[in-house]
Amino acid sequence: MVRGGSEHYRTIEALEFSIDPRKKLIPALDTLRRKRNLGSYDDYGLVAQGEADHYGKMAVRVRKEVEDWIRKNHADKIT
């Protein structure tokens, strides 16, 4: 298995400078990141269905918040 750099870690930590200055989302996302790193993509049962559903909804919300933040603070960067 080839392991990458710390892209996910850095992305999560960078949320502090945009949508999560009080670091309310960062701990939950980092927990999920660490859990994902413990197993491979083929591991079954590592994450319960309810937990997967919860984090899926969180991901949709985080993406929307980031996109809204970019539009508000850096509209000139959007093509």
Side-chain angles (χ1 to χ4, degrees):
M1 180 165 108
V2 176
R3 290 181 113 27
S6 301
E7 293 86 4
H8 291 122
Y9 173 79
R10 290 184 187 118
T11 300
I12 291 168
E13 290 296 311
L15 293 175
E16 174 186 357
F17 303 105
S18 59
I19 67 166
D20 196 25
R22 293 189 181 111
K23 295 186 179 183
K24 292 184 177 187
L25 285 172
I26 292 170
L29 292 171
D30 195 50
T31 296
L32 180 63
R33 178 192 63 82
R34 281 182 275 136
K35 186 177 282 194
R36 189 205 64 124
N37 287 343
L38 290 176
S40 70
Y41 291 111
D42 297 328
D43 284 343
Y44 179 78
L46 187 63
V47 176
Q49 186 62 50
E51 189 177 14
D53 292 343
H54 169 76
Y55 283 116
K57 289 175 185 173
M58 180 187 287
V60 170
R61 189 179 89 232
V62 167
R63 179 180 175 140
K64 182 182 179 337
E65 289 180 22
V66 168
E67 288 173 347
D68 291 347
W69 184 88
I70 291 169
R71 279 187 200 93
K72 179 181 176 187
N73 295 284
H74 297 283
D76 59 316
K77 306 287 191 256
I78 299 173
T79 56

